[in-house]
mmCIF file of all heavy atoms in Angstrom:
data_model
loop_
_atom_site.group_PDB
_atom_site.id
_atom_site.type_symbol
_atom_site.label_atom_id
_atom_site.label_comp_id
_atom_site.label_asym_id
_atom_site.label_seq_id
_atom_site.Cartn_x
_atom_site.Cartn_y
_atom_site.Cartn_z
ATOM 1 N N GLN V 668 -47.813 240.411 202.472
ATOM 2 C CA GLN V 668 -47.751 239.242 203.359
ATOM 3 C C GLN V 668 -48.684 239.331 204.539
ATOM 4 O O GLN V 668 -49.093 238.324 205.096
ATOM 5 C CB GLN V 668 -46.284 239.059 203.821
ATOM 6 C CG GLN V 668 -45.938 237.603 204.083
ATOM 7 C CD GLN V 668 -44.510 237.289 203.784
ATOM 8 O OE1 GLN V 668 -43.697 238.131 203.464
ATOM 9 N NE2 GLN V 668 -44.154 236.028 203.982
ATOM 10 N N ASP V 669 -49.095 240.557 204.970
ATOM 11 C CA ASP V 669 -50.023 240.717 206.046
ATOM 12 C C ASP V 669 -51.441 240.526 205.609
ATOM 13 O O ASP V 669 -52.387 240.707 206.421
ATOM 14 C CB ASP V 669 -49.845 242.084 206.736
ATOM 15 C CG ASP V 669 -50.186 243.250 205.799
ATOM 16 O OD1 ASP V 669 -50.591 243.030 204.683
ATOM 17 O OD2 ASP V 669 -50.057 244.401 206.262
ATOM 18 N N GLY V 670 -51.665 240.143 204.352
ATOM 19 C CA GLY V 670 -53.046 239.885 203.867
ATOM 20 C C GLY V 670 -53.746 241.104 203.333
ATOM 21 O O GLY V 670 -54.903 241.017 202.928
ATOM 22 N N ARG V 671 -53.065 242.234 203.328
ATOM 23 C CA ARG V 671 -53.705 243.457 202.806
ATOM 24 C C ARG V 671 -53.422 243.642 201.324
ATOM 25 O O ARG V 671 -52.276 243.581 200.911
ATOM 26 C CB ARG V 671 -53.212 244.668 203.582
ATOM 27 C CG ARG V 671 -53.621 244.655 205.031
ATOM 28 C CD ARG V 671 -52.927 245.774 205.753
ATOM 29 N NE ARG V 671 -52.988 245.590 207.191
ATOM 30 C CZ ARG V 671 -53.552 246.467 208.040
ATOM 31 N NH1 ARG V 671 -54.042 247.629 207.572
ATOM 32 N NH2 ARG V 671 -53.594 246.194 209.307
ATOM 33 N N PRO V 672 -54.435 243.936 200.534
ATOM 34 C CA PRO V 672 -54.258 244.202 199.095
ATOM 35 C C PRO V 672 -53.358 245.461 198.942
ATOM 36 O O PRO V 672 -53.454 246.404 199.711
ATOM 37 C CB PRO V 672 -55.650 244.469 198.564
ATOM 38 C CG PRO V 672 -56.578 243.905 199.611
ATOM 39 C CD PRO V 672 -55.853 243.980 200.914
ATOM 40 N N VAL V 673 -52.473 245.397 197.980
ATOM 41 C CA VAL V 673 -51.543 246.503 197.707
ATOM 42 C C VAL V 673 -52.243 247.588 196.819
ATOM 43 O O VAL V 673 -52.626 247.273 195.674
ATOM 44 C CB VAL V 673 -50.278 245.992 197.019
ATOM 45 C CG1 VAL V 673 -49.297 247.148 196.701
ATOM 46 C CG2 VAL V 673 -49.565 244.928 197.908
ATOM 47 N N GLN V 674 -52.403 248.781 197.386
ATOM 48 C CA GLN V 674 -53.016 249.897 196.668
ATOM 49 C C GLN V 674 -52.301 250.118 195.360
ATOM 50 O O GLN V 674 -51.070 250.151 195.339
ATOM 51 C CB GLN V 674 -53.003 251.159 197.501
ATOM 52 C CG GLN V 674 -53.956 251.177 198.638
ATOM 53 C CD GLN V 674 -55.408 251.370 198.202
ATOM 54 O OE1 GLN V 674 -55.716 251.740 197.066
ATOM 55 N NE2 GLN V 674 -56.344 251.099 199.126
ATOM 56 N N GLY V 675 -53.022 250.248 194.263
ATOM 57 C CA GLY V 675 -52.467 250.516 192.985
ATOM 58 C C GLY V 675 -52.065 249.268 192.192
ATOM 59 O O GLY V 675 -51.731 249.378 190.998
ATOM 60 N N SER V 676 -52.137 248.121 192.846
ATOM 61 C CA SER V 676 -51.762 246.867 192.140
ATOM 62 C C SER V 676 -52.965 246.269 191.444
ATOM 63 O O SER V 676 -52.836 245.370 190.553
ATOM 64 C CB SER V 676 -51.180 245.853 193.111
ATOM 65 O OG SER V 676 -52.222 245.301 193.928
ATOM 66 N N GLU V 677 -54.176 246.716 191.767
ATOM 67 C CA GLU V 677 -55.396 246.119 191.190
ATOM 68 C C GLU V 677 -55.487 246.480 189.744
ATOM 69 O O GLU V 677 -55.136 247.548 189.305
ATOM 70 C CB GLU V 677 -56.618 246.552 191.978
ATOM 71 C CG GLU V 677 -57.036 247.997 191.818
ATOM 72 C CD GLU V 677 -56.251 248.988 192.681
ATOM 73 O OE1 GLU V 677 -55.280 248.645 193.398
ATOM 74 O OE2 GLU V 677 -56.610 250.154 192.675
ATOM 75 N N ARG V 678 -56.026 245.528 188.967
ATOM 76 C CA ARG V 678 -56.192 245.755 187.530
ATOM 77 C C ARG V 678 -57.312 244.877 187.008
ATOM 78 O O ARG V 678 -57.505 243.808 187.474
ATOM 79 C CB ARG V 678 -54.911 245.578 186.794
ATOM 80 C CG ARG V 678 -54.271 244.218 186.888
ATOM 81 C CD ARG V 678 -52.716 244.342 187.003
ATOM 82 N NE ARG V 678 -52.111 243.030 187.286
ATOM 83 C CZ ARG V 678 -51.940 242.527 188.520
ATOM 84 N NH1 ARG V 678 -52.342 243.154 189.564
ATOM 85 N NH2 ARG V 678 -51.354 241.393 188.677
ATOM 86 N N LEU V 679 -58.012 245.398 185.990
ATOM 87 C CA LEU V 679 -59.056 244.650 185.315
ATOM 88 C C LEU V 679 -58.416 243.737 184.308
ATOM 89 O O LEU V 679 -57.732 244.201 183.385
ATOM 90 C CB LEU V 679 -60.025 245.631 184.613
ATOM 91 C CG LEU V 679 -61.177 245.042 183.822
ATOM 92 C CD1 LEU V 679 -62.150 244.268 184.741
ATOM 93 C CD2 LEU V 679 -61.912 246.105 183.086
ATOM 94 N N ILE V 680 -58.585 242.441 184.468
ATOM 95 C CA ILE V 680 -58.032 241.455 183.551
ATOM 96 C C ILE V 680 -58.988 241.194 182.387
ATOM 97 O O ILE V 680 -58.583 241.060 181.224
ATOM 98 C CB ILE V 680 -57.760 240.113 184.271
ATOM 99 C CG1 ILE V 680 -56.698 240.340 185.411
ATOM 100 C CG2 ILE V 680 -57.252 239.060 183.335
ATOM 101 C CD1 ILE V 680 -55.358 240.740 184.958
ATOM 102 N N ALA V 681 -60.284 241.063 182.672
ATOM 103 C CA ALA V 681 -61.285 240.816 181.648
ATOM 104 C C ALA V 681 -62.629 241.268 182.130
ATOM 105 O O ALA V 681 -62.889 241.348 183.331
ATOM 106 C CB ALA V 681 -61.322 239.299 181.357
ATOM 107 N N GLY V 682 -63.475 241.584 181.184
ATOM 108 C CA GLY V 682 -64.845 241.965 181.482
ATOM 109 C C GLY V 682 -65.741 241.533 180.332
ATOM 110 O O GLY V 682 -65.304 241.607 179.172
ATOM 111 N N SER V 683 -66.966 241.096 180.661
ATOM 112 C CA SER V 683 -67.887 240.685 179.593
ATOM 113 C C SER V 683 -69.307 240.887 180.077
ATOM 114 O O SER V 683 -69.571 241.022 181.284
ATOM 115 C CB SER V 683 -67.657 239.210 179.269
ATOM 116 O OG SER V 683 -67.867 238.381 180.379
ATOM 117 N N GLY V 684 -70.256 240.899 179.108
ATOM 118 C CA GLY V 684 -71.646 240.992 179.387
ATOM 119 C C GLY V 684 -72.292 242.391 179.355
ATOM 120 O O GLY V 684 -73.433 242.518 179.687
ATOM 121 N N GLY V 685 -71.487 243.385 178.948
ATOM 122 C CA GLY V 685 -72.045 244.690 178.921
ATOM 123 C C GLY V 685 -71.124 245.678 178.226
ATOM 124 O O GLY V 685 -70.076 245.306 177.699
ATOM 125 N N SER V 686 -71.514 246.969 178.251
ATOM 126 C CA SER V 686 -70.749 248.024 177.626
ATOM 127 C C SER V 686 -69.493 248.278 178.438
ATOM 128 O O SER V 686 -69.376 247.829 179.576
ATOM 129 C CB SER V 686 -71.586 249.310 177.563
ATOM 130 O OG SER V 686 -71.828 249.772 178.893
ATOM 131 N N ASP V 687 -68.579 249.048 177.881
ATOM 132 C CA ASP V 687 -67.387 249.417 178.622
ATOM 133 C C ASP V 687 -67.751 250.155 179.954
ATOM 134 O O ASP V 687 -67.156 249.932 180.953
ATOM 135 C CB ASP V 687 -66.477 250.337 177.774
ATOM 136 C CG ASP V 687 -65.720 249.548 176.686
ATOM 137 O OD1 ASP V 687 -65.746 248.301 176.719
ATOM 138 O OD2 ASP V 687 -65.140 250.204 175.823
ATOM 139 N N ALA V 688 -68.794 251.014 179.865
ATOM 140 C CA ALA V 688 -69.182 251.758 181.077
ATOM 141 C C ALA V 688 -69.679 250.785 182.143
ATOM 142 O O ALA V 688 -69.367 250.969 183.333
ATOM 143 C CB ALA V 688 -70.291 252.774 180.708
ATOM 144 N N ALA V 689 -70.460 249.785 181.738
ATOM 145 C CA ALA V 689 -71.005 248.851 182.723
ATOM 146 C C ALA V 689 -69.883 248.005 183.269
ATOM 147 O O ALA V 689 -69.830 247.686 184.493
ATOM 148 C CB ALA V 689 -72.046 247.968 182.059
ATOM 149 N N ILE V 690 -68.951 247.601 182.446
ATOM 150 C CA ILE V 690 -67.781 246.812 182.924
ATOM 151 C C ILE V 690 -66.954 247.618 183.874
ATOM 152 O O ILE V 690 -66.533 247.140 184.953
ATOM 153 C CB ILE V 690 -66.925 246.291 181.708
ATOM 154 C CG1 ILE V 690 -67.736 245.161 180.992
ATOM 155 C CG2 ILE V 690 -65.580 245.775 182.144
ATOM 156 C CD1 ILE V 690 -67.149 244.798 179.654
ATOM 157 N N ASN V 691 -66.706 248.903 183.546
ATOM 158 C CA ASN V 691 -65.955 249.780 184.434
ATOM 159 C C ASN V 691 -66.672 249.950 185.793
ATOM 160 O O ASN V 691 -66.030 249.950 186.830
ATOM 161 C CB ASN V 691 -65.674 251.090 183.793
ATOM 162 C CG ASN V 691 -64.561 250.998 182.738
ATOM 163 O OD1 ASN V 691 -63.715 250.153 182.824
ATOM 164 N ND2 ASN V 691 -64.584 251.886 181.760
ATOM 165 N N ALA V 692 -67.971 250.096 185.742
ATOM 166 C CA ALA V 692 -68.772 250.268 186.994
ATOM 167 C C ALA V 692 -68.643 248.997 187.846
ATOM 168 O O ALA V 692 -68.417 249.065 189.045
ATOM 169 C CB ALA V 692 -70.198 250.545 186.676
ATOM 170 N N ALA V 693 -68.734 247.809 187.208
ATOM 171 C CA ALA V 693 -68.653 246.580 187.938
ATOM 172 C C ALA V 693 -67.251 246.373 188.496
ATOM 173 O O ALA V 693 -67.045 245.903 189.638
ATOM 174 C CB ALA V 693 -68.990 245.423 187.012
ATOM 175 N N TYR V 694 -66.255 246.784 187.752
ATOM 176 C CA TYR V 694 -64.850 246.718 188.209
ATOM 177 C C TYR V 694 -64.649 247.594 189.415
ATOM 178 O O TYR V 694 -64.042 247.139 190.416
ATOM 179 C CB TYR V 694 -63.891 247.143 187.079
ATOM 180 C CG TYR V 694 -62.489 247.422 187.553
ATOM 181 C CD1 TYR V 694 -61.681 246.387 188.044
ATOM 182 C CD2 TYR V 694 -61.989 248.712 187.557
ATOM 183 C CE1 TYR V 694 -60.414 246.631 188.521
ATOM 184 C CE2 TYR V 694 -60.681 248.959 188.010
ATOM 185 C CZ TYR V 694 -59.934 247.932 188.490
ATOM 186 O OH TYR V 694 -58.637 248.188 188.954
ATOM 187 N N GLU V 695 -65.192 248.796 189.400
ATOM 188 C CA GLU V 695 -65.037 249.704 190.585
ATOM 189 C C GLU V 695 -65.648 249.136 191.860
ATOM 190 O O GLU V 695 -65.090 249.192 192.936
ATOM 191 C CB GLU V 695 -65.608 251.108 190.265
ATOM 192 C CG GLU V 695 -64.746 251.931 189.364
ATOM 193 C CD GLU V 695 -63.328 252.147 189.935
ATOM 194 O OE1 GLU V 695 -63.167 252.421 191.137
ATOM 195 O OE2 GLU V 695 -62.383 252.047 189.143
ATOM 196 N N VAL V 696 -66.810 248.530 191.705
ATOM 197 C CA VAL V 696 -67.497 247.912 192.833
ATOM 198 C C VAL V 696 -66.678 246.706 193.340
ATOM 199 O O VAL V 696 -66.530 246.487 194.557
ATOM 200 C CB VAL V 696 -68.961 247.557 192.522
ATOM 201 C CG1 VAL V 696 -69.573 246.667 193.538
ATOM 202 C CG2 VAL V 696 -69.779 248.790 192.305
ATOM 203 N N ALA V 697 -66.208 245.921 192.437
ATOM 204 C CA ALA V 697 -65.367 244.758 192.805
ATOM 205 C C ALA V 697 -64.074 245.197 193.464
ATOM 206 O O ALA V 697 -63.660 244.637 194.486
ATOM 207 C CB ALA V 697 -65.039 243.939 191.539
ATOM 208 N N ARG V 698 -63.417 246.207 192.908
ATOM 209 C CA ARG V 698 -62.183 246.732 193.483
ATOM 210 C C ARG V 698 -62.419 247.214 194.919
ATOM 211 O O ARG V 698 -61.654 246.907 195.829
ATOM 212 C CB ARG V 698 -61.683 247.846 192.609
ATOM 213 C CG ARG V 698 -60.300 248.377 192.931
ATOM 214 C CD ARG V 698 -59.922 249.606 192.082
ATOM 215 N NE ARG V 698 -60.783 250.750 192.367
ATOM 216 C CZ ARG V 698 -60.659 251.491 193.468
ATOM 217 N NH1 ARG V 698 -59.794 251.226 194.358
ATOM 218 N NH2 ARG V 698 -61.493 252.495 193.622
ATOM 219 N N ARG V 699 -63.478 247.976 195.133
ATOM 220 C CA ARG V 699 -63.795 248.493 196.459
ATOM 221 C C ARG V 699 -64.031 247.299 197.436
ATOM 222 O O ARG V 699 -63.603 247.350 198.619
ATOM 223 C CB ARG V 699 -65.013 249.380 196.452
ATOM 224 C CG ARG V 699 -64.669 250.782 195.959
ATOM 225 C CD ARG V 699 -65.776 251.770 196.301
ATOM 226 N NE ARG V 699 -67.033 251.503 195.622
ATOM 227 C CZ ARG V 699 -67.367 251.893 194.402
ATOM 228 N NH1 ARG V 699 -66.510 252.595 193.650
ATOM 229 N NH2 ARG V 699 -68.516 251.601 193.882
ATOM 230 N N ALA V 700 -64.725 246.230 196.980
ATOM 231 C CA ALA V 700 -64.962 245.091 197.841
ATOM 232 C C ALA V 700 -63.691 244.454 198.292
ATOM 233 O O ALA V 700 -63.537 244.080 199.490
ATOM 234 C CB ALA V 700 -65.852 244.049 197.087
ATOM 235 N N ILE V 701 -62.734 244.317 197.379
ATOM 236 C CA ILE V 701 -61.427 243.707 197.726
ATOM 237 C C ILE V 701 -60.734 244.535 198.784
ATOM 238 O O ILE V 701 -60.232 243.997 199.818
ATOM 239 C CB ILE V 701 -60.556 243.530 196.507
ATOM 240 C CG1 ILE V 701 -61.151 242.542 195.526
ATOM 241 C CG2 ILE V 701 -59.129 243.137 196.879
ATOM 242 C CD1 ILE V 701 -60.496 242.502 194.134
ATOM 243 N N PHE V 702 -60.677 245.822 198.614
ATOM 244 C CA PHE V 702 -59.950 246.691 199.544
ATOM 245 C C PHE V 702 -60.693 246.871 200.875
ATOM 246 O O PHE V 702 -60.023 246.898 201.937
ATOM 247 C CB PHE V 702 -59.588 248.035 198.902
ATOM 248 C CG PHE V 702 -58.397 247.879 197.957
ATOM 249 C CD1 PHE V 702 -58.602 247.674 196.621
ATOM 250 C CD2 PHE V 702 -57.098 247.917 198.449
ATOM 251 C CE1 PHE V 702 -57.534 247.533 195.768
ATOM 252 C CE2 PHE V 702 -56.005 247.756 197.625
ATOM 253 C CZ PHE V 702 -56.220 247.549 196.263
ATOM 254 N N LYS V 703 -62.007 246.908 200.859
ATOM 255 C CA LYS V 703 -62.709 246.951 202.119
ATOM 256 C C LYS V 703 -62.573 245.681 202.905
ATOM 257 O O LYS V 703 -62.336 245.674 204.101
ATOM 258 C CB LYS V 703 -64.218 247.214 201.898
ATOM 259 C CG LYS V 703 -64.523 248.686 201.546
ATOM 260 C CD LYS V 703 -65.934 248.795 201.082
ATOM 261 C CE LYS V 703 -66.784 249.512 202.130
ATOM 262 N NZ LYS V 703 -68.171 249.715 201.642
ATOM 263 N N ALA V 704 -62.643 244.535 202.211
ATOM 264 C CA ALA V 704 -62.463 243.237 202.886
ATOM 265 C C ALA V 704 -61.089 243.070 203.415
ATOM 266 O O ALA V 704 -60.885 242.468 204.495
ATOM 267 C CB ALA V 704 -62.806 242.104 201.904
ATOM 268 N N GLY V 705 -60.107 243.631 202.695
ATOM 269 C CA GLY V 705 -58.702 243.456 203.073
ATOM 270 C C GLY V 705 -58.163 244.522 204.017
ATOM 271 O O GLY V 705 -56.976 244.518 204.302
ATOM 272 N N ARG V 706 -58.987 245.425 204.512
ATOM 273 C CA ARG V 706 -58.575 246.519 205.311
ATOM 274 C C ARG V 706 -57.737 246.034 206.512
ATOM 275 O O ARG V 706 -56.716 246.641 206.893
ATOM 276 C CB ARG V 706 -59.775 247.348 205.826
ATOM 277 C CG ARG V 706 -59.408 248.730 206.359
ATOM 278 C CD ARG V 706 -60.611 249.523 206.694
ATOM 279 N NE ARG V 706 -61.322 249.890 205.457
ATOM 280 C CZ ARG V 706 -62.679 249.885 205.375
ATOM 281 N NH1 ARG V 706 -63.427 249.579 206.381
ATOM 282 N NH2 ARG V 706 -63.247 250.241 204.231
ATOM 283 N N SER V 707 -58.195 244.965 207.145
ATOM 284 C CA SER V 707 -57.426 244.403 208.281
ATOM 285 C C SER V 707 -56.815 243.079 207.924
ATOM 286 O O SER V 707 -56.456 242.291 208.790
ATOM 287 C CB SER V 707 -58.321 244.304 209.512
ATOM 288 O OG SER V 707 -59.440 243.521 209.257
ATOM 289 N N GLY V 708 -56.683 242.794 206.637
ATOM 290 C CA GLY V 708 -56.030 241.562 206.149
ATOM 291 C C GLY V 708 -57.109 240.543 205.684
ATOM 292 O O GLY V 708 -58.092 240.356 206.340
ATOM 293 N N LEU V 709 -56.857 239.995 204.514
ATOM 294 C CA LEU V 709 -57.778 238.994 203.988
ATOM 295 C C LEU V 709 -57.565 237.652 204.723
ATOM 296 O O LEU V 709 -56.482 237.372 205.228
ATOM 297 C CB LEU V 709 -57.500 238.808 202.475
ATOM 298 C CG LEU V 709 -57.822 240.012 201.623
ATOM 299 C CD1 LEU V 709 -57.287 239.838 200.207
ATOM 300 C CD2 LEU V 709 -59.322 240.232 201.574
ATOM 301 N N ALA V 710 -58.614 236.885 204.773
ATOM 302 C CA ALA V 710 -58.612 235.602 205.484
ATOM 303 C C ALA V 710 -57.889 234.538 204.662
ATOM 304 O O ALA V 710 -58.511 233.683 204.050
ATOM 305 C CB ALA V 710 -60.043 235.150 205.797
ATOM 306 N N LEU V 711 -56.563 234.640 204.607
ATOM 307 C CA LEU V 711 -55.759 233.742 203.858
ATOM 308 C C LEU V 711 -54.637 233.194 204.709
ATOM 309 O O LEU V 711 -54.097 234.000 205.509
ATOM 310 C CB LEU V 711 -55.183 234.458 202.593
ATOM 311 C CG LEU V 711 -56.221 234.870 201.560
ATOM 312 C CD1 LEU V 711 -55.651 235.918 200.630
ATOM 313 C CD2 LEU V 711 -56.750 233.691 200.799
ATOM 314 N N PRO V 712 -54.283 231.924 204.636
ATOM 315 C CA PRO V 712 -53.285 231.324 205.510
ATOM 316 C C PRO V 712 -51.877 231.810 205.262
ATOM 317 O O PRO V 712 -51.377 231.677 204.116
ATOM 318 C CB PRO V 712 -53.386 229.843 205.238
ATOM 319 C CG PRO V 712 -53.989 229.729 203.861
ATOM 320 C CD PRO V 712 -54.856 230.949 203.683
ATOM 321 N N PRO V 713 -51.234 232.459 206.226
ATOM 322 C CA PRO V 713 -49.912 233.043 206.007
ATOM 323 C C PRO V 713 -48.877 232.049 205.513
ATOM 324 O O PRO V 713 -48.007 232.423 204.697
ATOM 325 C CB PRO V 713 -49.492 233.561 207.406
ATOM 326 C CG PRO V 713 -50.719 233.622 208.205
ATOM 327 C CD PRO V 713 -51.713 232.655 207.599
ATOM 328 N N GLU V 714 -48.951 230.797 205.907
ATOM 329 C CA GLU V 714 -47.984 229.836 205.493
ATOM 330 C C GLU V 714 -48.097 229.440 203.996
ATOM 331 O O GLU V 714 -47.223 228.804 203.436
ATOM 332 C CB GLU V 714 -48.087 228.506 206.355
ATOM 333 C CG GLU V 714 -49.349 227.684 206.137
ATOM 334 C CD GLU V 714 -50.583 228.180 206.910
ATOM 335 O OE1 GLU V 714 -50.510 229.311 207.538
ATOM 336 O OE2 GLU V 714 -51.593 227.517 206.909
#
């Protein structure tokens, strides 16, 4: 509710356009972006 992503809740739903290794690498970069952006809360309306 404070806008922070919950550690351990992230999951890869789908990936396309490359090998499993490339998809996993892209997922890791995406996951880090979400948690870095949400460190002090994501810009989402509380209401």
Side-chain angles (χ1 to χ4, degrees):
Q668 210 148 1
D669 65 1
R671 294 173 196 238
V673 177
Q674 286 286 346
S676 72
E677 71 277 7
R678 56 220 175 272
L679 177 65
I680 299 294
S683 61
S686 66
D687 286 349
I690 288 169
N691 285 333
Y694 166 68
E695 284 302 318
V696 169
R698 188 185 67 73
R699 281 195 298 274
I701 293 167
F702 282 95
K703 283 171 109 177
R706 195 174 293 140
S707 57
L709 294 168
L711 294 162
E714 69 278 7

